[in-house]
């Protein structure tokens, strides 16, 4: 059903069907219900609504026909297959389609579509009376372009000239979109790869693939943030409605992606897609919707929310005989249909997956044919508690520990990153061997970055920790040691600690003799002797906490800490020519021989300390 119902080998050109309403059961189109064979539809337009039960389109259902330089303002997508230089009003039809390029109603009204249909020229069959006509017509007034920037369009029926602003870096925002008109930058083709550095580059690449350039290659040269904070922190819950809706690369079988996507060790974050209605464009949802024989490597997609109808995957909705290596996904996935699958990485039809991971509410992947092509892949079993035959489950804590990053050889800043991160530091394995019968306990993480690394050690009282690597003792500060940039095994033991015994180097009026160090519970001898003419004034031993230590018979028991000794001596009396002057402390034997005298004045005190007064040889 249409202006023409069924066409086979026909040529349909230079016709506009305006202000119409067409309803049928199957194969319904504004210009042609069913276009087959070598049919060519060119320079045609349709304005009106189209309805049907099966296969109904704004312009035509295309079997094998060619459609070029046409437009459609309708409630339905323009066509069923790819077209050339064709446009639809995306204000009227807001769904996704790969068959034509969407433009706003304003773009139609200002003459931009007439100009584009002529191949970006004022000369051609298309024209429009700007300000009076809202759509292009065959043979209408010529449309001349005026513009504020290299991308924007302002049409006029008066021929003239314009001077656009300079197309420099300041012309675009940080995401690569024109500040005047919103047109996105195209990426640069370097060798065989389009180098993706901005959000606009990524959307341009998707549009190219969905327009039929399915074998082009991409290489990320920067991290891409499509939307910020798509998910609420620490959850898989949507955090409001993001500004940008993602358009999957290769939306269905007809535009399946067959190129190569090299993540180059970068991350894409903030993908948002939420459309579960029943149409082909929603059947394959992911960064890539449908991929066939594609290499996808060194790429992480995170902080993303993807809801579709059938095959929904973090990296690829449906992957046919692809290779995915060192890829990861973190986000929420949902498919509404009774068939199809949710897959953290991809629905895997005979693909090879190696060193990949998924942290989502879905299994990492599904392969109904050959799971032996899956190597070293992991999923977060805290987020997805179901069974998965393709990947090994690890808890969120194990992901945070660096275990998965170490296994798949992707970096991670342990203690900061919750999961592998290409921008993170290299992860090394760490283990500890504690000596048999060790006097203490020791624990450390199983994975670490090079540099300061924490451990927990609890020596028994009187013991201290000794760490060795490769037979050599290493230093540590507090509970931190310097992890080398290699897999490391610590040898751990606890030995008796030597504690310092601190005394002054020189005392005035006496001597203190004691060893410099001792171990816990050692019996330590100490001697405190005043010089002649001096007496001990003060004498005390204390531990590191300031507690007094008892000395018995010149000995004390060493505590589990350093010991400080304080002692002071004061001068006393003396003997000269048999006369005692002042109070006298006898510190060594003093002998009074027969016939000698010792005069002790009244009120004088004589004290023996280490000596005696011997009279007449005893």
């Amino acid at each position: 059903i249409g202006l023409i119902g069924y066409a086979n080998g026909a040529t349909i050109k230079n016709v506009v069907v305006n202000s119409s309403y067409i309803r049928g059961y199957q194969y319904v189109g504004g210009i042609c219900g069913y276009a087959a064979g070598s049919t060519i539809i060119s320079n045609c337009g349709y304005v009106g609504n189209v309805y049907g039960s099966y296969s109904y389109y704004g312009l035509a259902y295309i079997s094998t026909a060619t459609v070029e330089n046409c437009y459609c303002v309708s409630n339905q997508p323009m066509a069923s297959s790819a077209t050339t230089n064709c446009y639809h009003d995306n204000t009227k039809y807001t769904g996704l389609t790969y068959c034509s390029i969407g433009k706003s109603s304003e773009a139609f009204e200002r003459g931009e579509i007439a100009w584009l249909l002529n191949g970006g020229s004022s000369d051609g069959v298309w024209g429009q009376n700007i300000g009076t006509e809202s759509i292009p017509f065959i043979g209408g007034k010529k449309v001349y372009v005026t513009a504020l920037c290299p991308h924007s369009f302002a049409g006029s029926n008066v021929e003239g000239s314009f001077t656009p602003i300079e197309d420099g870096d300041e012309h675009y925002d940080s995401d690569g979109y024109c500040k005047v008109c919103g047109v996105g930058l195209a990426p640069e083709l370097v060798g065989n790869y389009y180098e993706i550095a901005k959000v606009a580059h990524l959307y341009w690449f998707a549009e190219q693939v969905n327009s039929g350039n399915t074998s082009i290659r991409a290489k990320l040269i920067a991290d891409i943030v499509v939307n910020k904070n798509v998910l609420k922190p620490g959850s898989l819950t949507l955090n409001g409605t993001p500004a940008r809706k993602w358009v999957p690369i290769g939306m269905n079988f007809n535009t399946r992606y067959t190129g190569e996507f090299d993540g180059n060790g970068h991350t894409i974050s903030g993908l948002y897609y939420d459309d579960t209605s029943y149409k082909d464009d929603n059947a394959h949802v992911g960064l890539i919707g449908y991929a066939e024989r594609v290499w996808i490597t060194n790429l992480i997609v995170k902080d993303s929310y993807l809801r579709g109808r059938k095959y929904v995957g973090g990296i690829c909705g449906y992957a046919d005989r692809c290779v995915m290596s060192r890829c990861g996904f973190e986000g929420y996935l949902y498919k509404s249909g009774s068939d199809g699958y949710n897959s953290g990485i991809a629905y895997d039809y005979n693909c090879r997956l190696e060193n990949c991971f998924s942290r989502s509410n879905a299994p990492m992947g599904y392969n109904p044919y050959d799971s032996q092509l899956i190597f070293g892949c992991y999923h977060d079993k805290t987020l997805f508690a179901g069974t998965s035959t393709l990947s090994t489950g690890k808890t969120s804590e194990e992901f945070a520990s660096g275990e998965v990053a170490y296994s798949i050889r992707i970096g991670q800043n342990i203690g900061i990153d919750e999961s592998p991160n290409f921008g993170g530091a290299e992860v090394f394995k760490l283990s500890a061997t504690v000596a048999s019968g060790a006097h203490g306990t020791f624990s450390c993480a199983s994975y670490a970055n090079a540099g300061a690394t924490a451990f927990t050690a609890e020596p028994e009282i009187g013991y201290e920790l000794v760490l060795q690597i490769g037979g050599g003792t290493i230093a540590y500060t507090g509970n931190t040691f310097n992890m080398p940039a290699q897999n490391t095994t610590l040898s751990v033991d606890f030995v008796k600690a030597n504690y310092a015994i601190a005394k002054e180097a020189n005392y005035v009026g006496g001597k203190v003799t004691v060893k410099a160090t001792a171990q816990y519970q050692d019996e330590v001898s100490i001697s405190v002797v005043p010089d002649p003419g001096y007496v001990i004034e003060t004498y005390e031993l204390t531990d590191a906490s300031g507690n007094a230590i008892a000395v018995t018979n010149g000995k004390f028991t060493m505590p589990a800490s350093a010991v400080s000794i304080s002692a002071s001596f004061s001068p006393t009396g003396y003997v000269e020519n048999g006369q005692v002057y002042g109070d006298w402390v006898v510190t060594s034997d003093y002998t009074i021989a027969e016939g000698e005298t010792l005069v002790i004045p009244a009120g004088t005190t004589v004290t023996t300390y280490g000596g005696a007064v011997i009279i007449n040889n005893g």
Side-chain angles (χ1 to χ4, degrees), residues 188-212:
E188 183 179 358
L189 181 62
V190 179
N192 294 323
Y193 294 86
Y194 285 100
E195 293 191 339
I196 309 297
K198 297 180 180 294
V199 175
H201 294 167
L202 189 63
Y203 274 81
W204 179 94
F205 189 85
E207 183 178 2
Q208 290 297 307
V209 173
N210 293 332
S211 296

Side-chain angles (χ1 to χ4, degrees), residues 502-504 507 512 528 536 538-542 564-568:
K503 65 183 184 68
E504 293 182 18
Y507 292 91
V512 175
V528 181
I536 299 172
T538 61
Y539 169 36
E540 186 179 34
L541 277 67
T542 56
S564 297
I565 300 173
S566 63
S568 62

Side-chain angles (χ1 to χ4, degrees), residues 3 27 83 208 222 242 278 300 305 311 341 354 364 434 456 503 534 558-559:
L3 173 66
Y27 299 127
T83 61
Q208 290 297 307
Y278 193 88
I300 294 175
Y305 184 93
Y311 294 101
Y341 294 91
E354 56 187 18
M364 189 207 71
V434 180
T456 300
K503 65 183 184 68
Y534 285 83
M558 190 69 184

Side-chain angles (χ1 to χ4, degrees), residues 205 209-210 214-215 246-259 280-294 296 310-313 315-322 324 345-347 349 351:
F205 189 85
V209 173
N210 293 332
T214 58
S215 63
W246 174 238
V247 180
I249 299 168
M251 296 173 64
N252 55 41
F253 178 81
N254 292 325
T255 58
R256 60 194 181 277
Y257 182 49
T258 59
D280 288 345
D281 290 345
N282 298 330
H284 308 90
V285 176
L287 170 68
I288 301 169
Y290 196 125
E292 181 182 280
R293 300 180 184 272
V294 174
I296 308 169
K310 192 172 184 181
Y311 294 101
V312 181
I315 300 297
C316 187
Y318 189 101
D320 180 0
R321 292 163 291 175
C322 297
M324 282 164 274
I345 298 297
Y347 174 85
Y349 179 88
C351 297

Side-chain angles (χ1 to χ4, degrees), residues 297-542:
T297 57
N298 301 319
L299 172 67
I300 294 175
V301 175
K302 65 180 184 179
D303 188 33
S304 294
Y305 184 93
L306 303 173
R307 296 178 80 246
R309 181 174 64 83
K310 192 172 184 181
Y311 294 101
V312 181
I315 300 297
C316 187
Y318 189 101
D320 180 0
R321 292 163 291 175
C322 297
V323 173
M324 282 164 274
S325 174
R326 298 177 81 224
C327 292
F329 175 75
E330 300 180 39
Y332 177 82
L333 302 166
Y334 175 81
K335 61 101 181 174
S336 63
S338 58
D339 55 351
Y341 294 91
N342 286 328
S343 305
I345 298 297
Y347 174 85
D348 162 18
Y349 179 88
N350 283 338
C351 297
R352 179 185 177 94
L353 272 66
E354 56 187 18
N355 296 334
C356 294
F357 75 91
S358 167
R359 299 190 66 229
S360 74
N361 58 313
M364 189 207 71
Y366 181 79
N367 184 327
Y369 300 101
D370 192 355
S371 60
Q372 296 184 18
L373 294 175
I374 314 299
F375 306 94
C377 294
Y378 300 86
H379 69 272
D380 190 324
K381 65 181 182 181
T382 303
L383 300 177
F384 172 70
T387 59
S388 174
T389 59
L390 302 186
S391 56
T392 301
K394 296 292 181 181
T395 65
S396 295
E397 289 75 16
E398 287 169 324
F399 268 87
S401 75
E403 179 178 352
V404 175
Y406 173 80
S407 298
I408 63 179
R409 309 316 302 158
I410 295 177
Q412 183 174 342
N413 297 316
I414 297 175
I416 299 174
D417 300 331
E418 296 181 352
S419 55
N421 170 21
F422 283 112
E426 186 175 357
V427 177
F428 301 98
K429 196 165 188 178
L430 175 62
S431 60
T433 301
V434 180
S436 176
H439 294 273
T441 61
F442 181 90
S443 64
C444 62
S446 299
Y447 301 89
N449 304 127
T453 300
F455 60 83
T456 300
E458 295 184 6
E460 293 178 4
I461 188 169
Y463 288 83
E464 63 182 0
L465 173 68
V466 175
L467 294 180
Q468 290 186 326
I469 297 177
T473 301
I474 64 169
Y476 59 89
T477 302
N479 281 355
T480 301
F481 80 100
N482 189 44
M483 173 77 177
Q486 62 186 36
N487 292 338
T488 297
T489 298
L490 295 173
S491 296
V492 180
D493 201 358
F494 297 89
V495 299
K496 276 194 171 184
N498 285 307
Y499 300 105
I501 302 174
K503 65 183 184 68
E504 293 182 18
N506 295 293
Y507 292 91
V508 176
K511 294 182 178 62
V512 175
T513 304
V514 69
K515 60 169 56 176
T517 62
Q519 295 177 341
Y520 175 57
Q521 292 185 331
D522 283 355
E523 187 176 69
V524 182
S525 296
I526 183 170
S527 171
V528 181
V529 179
D531 293 338
Y534 285 83
V535 67
I536 299 172
E537 183 176 0
T538 61
Y539 169 36
E540 186 179 34
L541 277 67
T542 56

Side-chain angles (χ1 to χ4, degrees), residues 6-18:
Y6 186 101
N8 189 346
T11 298
I12 308 169
K13 63 180 182 178
N14 302 337
V15 58
V16 173
V17 176
N18 191 14

